[in-house]
Amino acid sequence: MKYVDYLRLFLLFTDKDVKIKRIADLIQVNMRNVSGNKTFKMSECSTYMRIESSVSIKYLFATKPFMPKEFRTEDGKRIELDVVLYKGY
């Protein structure tokens, strides 16, 4: 086994929260090195994102008579969904 294999195995058995905290630590160290600000702390930062998507799929199990008109495309052959998601940390 090589180092990459050991790393993959380690990450497979590591708790999700531990991995996220480790990533945050790495970002903090890199930001300190790049910016030259030795007091930079991830805990004092926040981020916010907006994700917008529009998806159209063919009818699967629900047929046209059962789908509300606001979800149908103009030709009536597909379901169209518009989703906007906001997520902040």
Side-chain angles (χ1 to χ4, degrees):
M1 287 180 70
K2 296 182 180 180
Y3 174 75
V4 174
D5 299 322
Y6 283 112
L7 185 59
R8 285 186 184 142
L9 188 61
F10 173 73
L11 290 173
L12 180 66
F13 292 109
T14 303
D15 184 44
K16 178 183 168 184
D17 291 333
V18 172
K19 284 189 263 189
I20 291 173
K21 288 177 183 177
R22 177 68 180 129
I23 291 168
D25 289 341
L26 290 172
I27 292 171
Q28 182 170 289
V29 168
N30 287 332
M31 286 299 295
R32 286 179 178 177
N33 290 337
V34 169
S35 68
N37 180 2
K38 301 300 178 190
T39 60
F40 177 84
K41 291 184 182 178
M42 282 291 293
S43 60
E44 296 174 357
C45 297
S46 60
T47 186
Y48 206 97
M49 66 180 125
R50 178 180 187 265
I51 301 168
E52 185 174 340
S53 68
S54 181
V55 180
S56 165
I57 60 173
K58 291 183 180 179
Y59 293 111
L60 298 174
F61 301 107
T63 58
K64 184 177 177 179
F66 296 103
M67 288 306 300
K69 289 182 180 179
E70 63 266 11
F71 293 135
R72 296 184 207 160
T73 57
E74 291 179 13
D75 63 3
K77 296 180 181 179
R78 300 175 71 83
I79 301 168
E80 187 172 56
L81 302 170
D82 295 320
V83 178
V84 178
L85 174 69
Y86 292 91
K87 189 73 174 180
Y89 298 96

